[in-house]
Structure formats: structure tokens, C-alpha cells
Amino acid sequence: MREPRRPDPEPLLRRVQEEEARAQRAKLKIFFGAAPGVGKTYAMLSEARERKAEGLDVLVGVVETHGRSETGALLEGLEVLPRKELAYAGQFLPEFDLDAALKRRPALILMDELAHSNVLGSRHAKRWQDVMELLDAGIDVHTTLNVQHLESLRDVVAQITGVTVRENVPDTVLERADEVELVDLSPDDLLVRLKEGKVYLPDQARHARDHFFRKGNLLALRELALRHTAESVDAQMRRYMASEGIHKTWAAGDRLLVCVGPGELSERLIRGTRRMAGALGAPWMALYVESRKHLKFTEDDRARIENNLRLVEKLGGETAVIEGAGSLQEDILTFAQDRNITKLVVGKPSRPRWMDLVMGSTVDDLIRHSGDIDVYVISGEPGKEPAAPLIRRPITSPVHNYLLAAMTVALASFVAVLIFHRTDLADVVMVYLLGILLVATRLGRGPSLLASILSVAALDFLFVPPYFTFAVTDFRHVGTFGVMLLLGVVIGNLTERIRAQARLARGREQRTHALYRLGQELARSAGSAALVASAIQNVTTQFQSQGVVLLPDEHGRLQMPDYPMAFPLNEQELGVAQWVFDHAEPAGLGTLTLPGARATYLPLNGAHRPIGVMGVLPERTPRWVEPDQRQLLEAFATQTALALERAQLAEQSAQDRRRADEERLRNALLSSVSHDLRTPLGVITGAVSTALETPDLAEPARRELLQSAQEEAQRLHRLVSNLLDITRLEAGSLDLHTEWTPMEEVVGAALNRKELAPEAHRVRVSLPEDLPLVAMDGVLMEQLLLNLLDNALKYSPPGSPVDIKAWATGKSLTLSISDQGPGIPPGEEERIFEKLARGRAASNRPGAGLGLAICKGIVTAHGGSIQAVNHPQGGAQFLVSLPLGTPPPMPEEAP
């Protein structure tokens, strides 16, 4: 029996930690179905009633009965969480109350329709995000999901049904589930339920039966649901086997593994395995073990390995390349047991039987130690397989190494001659063995073998009687010669193996370091453009090649990048890249698809779809013809794709937040402005109507009405002007017409505005006569002063003064407007410049909260700054700082 390999403590510790974390986290159970109406909600409620009967605290968060009486009856006796009402599009819609559920904190909560999109204004956009927060809070969740809502199946479902499902759930949520229960119903029974009105209302049922609920669609969706449930159950089974330390294969379903190498027989093995997998309806994969022999393969051998692995992918199989840690059969069987392989396919050995007896046979070892795994030995076509040479070991050591080995033996002989008369023959043998050891560790296996032979010859010639001949009179020395020669060969082989393992370890370290460096640079890069630049730089450095990353437009067509490309792309190369993007498969140089291209193109596959293409043009022979380098290049592409996807998702999330903020701002603006518009319009309408409908109205009363209408019209004019100004600021279309203007001129123009006429006497102005000119837009600065003065007068006690002061210091001019009002609450100094922000004392004062936001926009456009502080003597003080420049020289006055 094969001795079990000692388990690696690192994966064992990681597995224990994962099991502990899984045991402590909240449980998620998904009732999974192929289509609406199969009974997912019914099954979820039935189990909830059983759990409640066992004494568990069960809360119904969201359950949609869709008018089904038998489903609604199951809600009786269960606590239902009240929903909150959210305003949307002029109406109030009921939605799940996440905060109330977290406060209630039940042991188990029911969340129907996992793919549901929440009403705008909810904490999360999707219900599955609510579920993840509930799980993070330690609350077990039962939920329902249809297969068409899985993100990875969106395109497949659209192709089958002709309907693009908009509400999707990431596959990671399904993978997070601790249990997936399939609720299955045959298509015929589901169509009967649909006809009976148990799925949709009659009108909706007829439409559904003619479109989504066709029998062919239901059959395909049912197969998808069964397959995904089987994959979930298989993952749970493998986790259980790993946690329980079960190393045997559980043949719950057939899985085929074929071992490939550089030989021409590998291609036939791959095709034969594909036929077997197709006949069995089983998944299959190919394995290549990268042992120390890989370093001795020629370029043709490595190219054949790469082509064989690409053939596996082309035929629909999975590929795996592992680095050998022990014997070949041990590595293969360990991998097969880890992947729960049931059938192993290997090639029939073609070398003579005596070589198997002398050097061992991997096929025999696999059959002897395979345990529960079936081993299939396949032969190629008779006469087609080329005969392998008996010894296929190219000379890897240069000639001068053999000369150094001979010189080392000569030096050892010289030392041995010096000590021969003072020591025994055994000490002389040790001197030669030391020389052999030095040659083996420094020069390789071939020179060490030569040193062993020369050492035996020198020992016999110089130190064994009769001296200076190769004759041996005492046959006891023959054993010494044999042991010495054997030790030399063994030492040479062992040191060569250690050197090979060291080279493999260095290769692994270099690949790991390359991936680590790429990950570090991608993590430090901000934005898609920086990520692309980092990825191209790392690919160029690692593979001695030129790289390019192509991203699609909104129509799915790859666009030429904005940055200078390392190599030009003609229409043919761009067409190859577009094919890669459309089919999510590699193509171009060194592949089986469009191999005539100048470069190799790899898809940048995100979590659910390709997000771009990476092109790599080698400077010389491509380094990625070797499997390990090909895997490293694919790992580079995967890392780049995931980083790009994260960046794009972050940008999309920021855009969504901006849109949500704009939507909230628009709603708040409409709500505020509608009130402020109605008030002056109501006054104007009432005053004008009274004046028109009352002919005998006294002149003073008529004049008073018209004056109030005028005041409200001016107020309405200011409001509309503010709206137009804030719109221009938001759109970035605020044009400055700057002139060198004295500040006192702008202040005087603002005080002479009609809007301030009734309160202008309260404003006290104190401006030095030597204030410098300022380059500014006089009209906009006048509007700024008007808004600040209106704000100060509005919040000041009646009759209290408002002070305007100015002073120049260094490179700026500061304008101060201060009042004697209630001041600014602590912490509100920055917020009051935001749109629609109003002070706490503004509830009984008119205004839309736009004036200060407009002031900040105007000052920022001038390159200045504005701040609000509380005056030491009380009240608020607004400080406007404008940059000073060098005004043009004044024209000289004529004498």
C-alpha cells in the first residue's frame, strides 16, 4: 500500500480556521428553483413553521404570496415585520425595514425574492445586500432564488428565453450559502399551476405562457437549476471530505483525469479521454506534473506540452499544472484524490520491459497504489508512435567542467601521495570522496561520474599493490573500488537532484514575486488608466515583450487606447483582439486560434464577463511557450482583469452615488422651491386679483397691494436668478468677464439694488481709500455681495446694523460682511455652503438654501476662498478672499 503523504501544516491550519469561521458565522439557506411558481416560498414557510414549533425565534422579514391562498395560510402564527414606506415617483411604496430587523435581532429571518431591487432611498440597492448585512450581524437567513437571476447565467438565460433578466444576484452569494435546497416541479405540472392562476393573475398568466413559460424554456431552466444545485452539493461534499481527513475517492459522480507530457501519445490520450467523458457525461481535466526533468526538455518538448494543454481547453476540459514535490505517481494520485477523481487515464509505456524493472514504471506504481481510482491505460495506434531512444539525456555540462573534474582528481591524488605514508588507505579513499563531492556539488552529474571513474583508477594505480599498475592482487580492494564508484554515482545523482529542485524553487520564487509585485502595483494604482499602465509595465519587464490593453466602448467594440502603444495595431490585429473579447478565449501567436497574428491576445475575464483584452508581442521567442510561463501570463491577465473590474465597479459605484445624490438633491430642490414659488405667486395673484376685482378700492390700499406684489415679484426674481446661477455653476458654464475694478464700486452697486433698498440704511461700510484694484467680474461680485447682504439682513434682529469692511494683506484682498444675528452653530461652518443647506434658525425664514452655495461657486471661479466664522462680539462673519495681481499702468493725464 502507498504510504500516506504527511499533511502540509499550513493548509491544515488554514482549513481548521475556515471550519471554525464557518461554524461561528450565521447560516444562509437558499430555496432554489427553476422558475416562479415551483413552490420555493411555500417550502420556506413550511420549514419556518417547523423551526418555530421547535422553539426557534422566527421572523418574517419579507414574503410575497402573490395572492396564493395556500401560501398566505402558512403565514398564520408567524411574526411579520412591518414594512416601512418610502416615497418614490410621487407615491409611497412598502419596503423591507432593515434597521427594524437588526434591532429586533431574531434567530432566523425569512427574506423572499433574493434578487429583488429595493426602492430608491433604501440603504442598499439590492435585497441580497440586505441579506449579507443580516448575516454579518449574526442572524440566520432563509431566502428564495430562481436560477435565471444568477449573474453568470444572464446571457445564457437571455439566449434561451429571449428575455434579459435585469435583477441579478452575484454567484458569490450562492457560494456563500451553507445549504441549497432545490425545489423542483416538472414543466407540465408548473404549466397546470400557471393555467389555474396559482402563479400569476389570469392576464399575466396568458402573457407568461406565451413568452417566458414555454415548455422548452422551462426544461432548459430546470436543467440549469439541477446542474447548479449539483455543483453546490459537490462543493459541500468536498469540504466535508477535507474537514474529516478523508483521502479516498467518493464516486458520487465520475470525474476523469488524463496525464499529459511532451510525447506525441499525449494528444491521443487527450482525445480518447474526451470521448470517454462524452460517453459518460462526466467532467474531465488534464494534469501536467512539472518535475525536475522539465528543465532538461528541449524547446520542441515544451512547445508540445503547451499545445497539448491548449488542446484540452479547446476540447472543453480543464487544465492543471503542478510542481512535483515527490515521486511522479505520488504527485498524480495526491492531486487526483484532492479533486475526487474516479477514473485516471495514462499512456501505455513504450520502453523495453527491462528498463521498467531497472528504473521502475510509473504506470505500474499508479495501478498498484491507485486505491479506489480506476486506472485506464490507453495505447496509440500500432506503428505510429516513434521509438524512444534508450538513453535520452542531453549533455548539460560544458566541456571545461569535465577538465576541472579531472584536475580535481589530480589534486586529490597529489594530497593523497603526501599523506599516504602517514595514514591508512581508508584516509586516502576519503580524500578522493571529498574531491568527488566537490565536483558533484559544483560541476554537475556528468563531471562527478567522470571524477568517480578517475578516482578509482588513480587509487588502484597509485596506492594499491602492485603500485603503478592497474593489476589487483588482493581482491578485497575490488569491493572498495565498487563502493567508491557507487558512492560517487549516488552523490552525483543526489546533488543533481538538489540542484534541479533549487532551480525549480527559484523559478517558483520568481513567479510568486512577479505576481506579488504586480498585485502591489495594481493595489497602489488609482483609476483604470493607472492600472493599465502598471499592468503593461509588469508584462513588459517579466516577459521581455511589448504589451497593450484594449478596453471596449458602450457597444462592445474594442477601442484603440489613448496612451502611446508599444506596438502598432493594424485592422487584422485589432480583429483578432475583438474575436478574443467576443469569445472570451485566447488567440493569436502561439495558440490554436488565429496563430498567424503577430501577438498573443488574452481575454481579461471579470467575474461575469470579459472587460477587455491584453495583447503581448514578444521581442524574440515567446517566453510563454512553457506551461509555467503561460500560466504566469494568464495569472497576470487575471490579476489585471480583477483589478480593472474593481476600478470600474468603484467608478460605477461613485457614479451611482452621484446620481442618487443628484436625485435626492433634485427632489429636495423641487420640494423647497415649489413652496418658495407658491408663496410669492400666491401673494402676487391675490394682490392683483383684489386690485382688479375691487373697482372702488381706495388708492392707498391699491398702492399697498401693488407694492406687496412688486416685493414678491422681486423675491421671485431673486429665486429664479439663484436657480439659473446654480444651474450654470453645476454645468461648469460660468464665464468670467474680468476687469480691474475697485471694490468700493462693487459695494456701491450692490447697495443701490432695489432688493436692498428697504434695508440699505442698516448697512455700515468701512473701506480704506488705498484699496488696490482687483481683477474680477463686476456683475458676479455684485451678485455675491447681494446674496451675502440679503443673508445677513435676514438673520439679524430688526434694526441691527450689518458691517462691510475690507483690507489688503500680502497677495489677497479680504472682504468682511458681519451681522449681529444668532451666529453659526458649531460644526456648520462648512455645511452652510452646500446646496439646500440652511441654518437651524432658518425654519421660519423664506429661502431655498442656494444663496451661499452660489457665493462659494463665484468665489471659487475667481480663484479665491470664502469662509464663515462667528464674530467675537456675536453674530456671523463671512470672509471673502480674492487674489491680487499687478494691474495695468494708469494712463498719464494730459497737462
Side-chain angles (χ1 to χ4, degrees), residues 79-118:
E79 181 184 353
V80 179
L81 183 71
R83 301 195 194 185
K84 63 180 179 180
E85 301 285 335
L86 293 177
Y88 179 74
Q91 57 181 333
F92 288 92
L93 300 177
E95 192 55 87
F96 171 65
D97 193 342
L98 178 58
D99 291 324
L102 293 173
K103 184 177 181 180
R104 168 68 173 74
R105 198 171 181 81
L108 172 64
I109 189 169
L110 309 184
M111 298 289 292
D112 204 5
E113 297 185 358
L114 183 62
H116 170 77
S117 296
N118 294 332

Side-chain angles (χ1 to χ4, degrees), residues 782-844:
E782 181 181 333
Q783 181 66 37
L784 176 141
L785 270 173
L786 181 63
N787 287 350
L788 290 177
L789 288 172
D790 179 70
N791 184 79
L793 293 168
K794 185 190 307 180
Y795 286 92
S796 298
S800 62
V802 173
D803 294 316
I804 299 179
K805 297 180 181 180
W807 60 86
T809 55
K811 298 182 180 180
S812 65
L813 183 144
T814 302
L815 181 68
S816 167
I817 296 92
S818 57
D819 59 50
Q820 297 182 8
I824 303 169
E828 299 284 323
E829 292 85 353
E830 294 291 336
R831 194 188 70 84
I832 60 174
F833 291 104
E834 298 177 1
K835 293 182 291 293
L836 303 180
R838 306 188 68 195
R840 297 176 185 175
S843 58
N844 58 349

Side-chain angles (χ1 to χ4, degrees), residues 188-260:
D188 292 332
D189 291 339
L190 181 56
L191 290 173
V192 170
R193 286 177 52 83
L194 182 67
K195 186 176 181 181
E196 294 174 350
K198 295 182 178 181
V199 180
Y200 294 124
L201 297 176
D203 292 339
Q204 295 176 327
R206 283 193 296 270
H207 182 270
R209 188 166 56 249
D210 295 337
H211 294 82
F212 190 85
F213 276 76
R214 292 196 297 266
K215 185 174 181 179
N217 293 349
L218 296 177
L219 287 170
L221 293 174
R222 189 186 189 194
E223 181 182 359
L224 289 175
L226 290 170
R227 286 184 180 276
H228 272 72
T229 306
E231 292 174 1
S232 176
V233 173
D234 178 70
Q236 293 177 3
M237 181 185 71
R238 288 164 63 179
R239 282 199 303 268
Y240 174 80
M241 293 173 63
S243 64
E244 297 296 325
I246 299 174
H247 299 291
K248 294 183 179 180
T249 297
W250 283 6
D254 283 326
R255 285 185 180 82
L256 279 70
L257 175 67
V258 57
C259 302
V260 300

Side-chain angles (χ1 to χ4, degrees), residues 358-414:
V358 174
M359 305 177 62
S361 171
T362 301
V363 174
D364 291 342
D365 292 338
L366 287 173
I367 295 174
R368 185 174 296 108
H369 301 125
S370 58
D372 297 329
I373 302 176
D374 297 332
V375 180
Y376 290 78
V377 182
I378 298 180
S379 174
E381 297 179 12
K384 297 293 185 179
E385 188 73 17
L390 295 182
I391 298 178
R392 190 184 176 188
R393 291 179 180 172
I395 298 176
T396 57
S397 300
V399 175
H400 68 270
N401 281 3
Y402 290 89
L403 296 178
L404 289 175
M407 293 174 61
T408 302
V409 174
L411 179 61
S413 301
F414 177 74

Side-chain angles (χ1 to χ4, degrees), residues 747-797:
V747 173
L751 292 175
N752 290 328
R753 293 281 291 266
K754 294 181 180 180
E755 296 91 329
L756 295 179
E759 302 286 345
H761 64 280
R762 296 171 53 191
V763 181
R764 300 186 303 194
V765 181
S766 177
L767 300 178
E769 295 182 358
D770 58 347
L771 280 179
L773 299 179
V774 181
M776 58 182 168
D777 188 318
V779 176
L780 291 178
M781 290 304 298
E782 181 181 333
Q783 181 66 37
L784 176 141
L785 270 173
L786 181 63
N787 287 350
L788 290 177
L789 288 172
D790 179 70
N791 184 79
L793 293 168
K794 185 190 307 180
Y795 286 92
S796 298

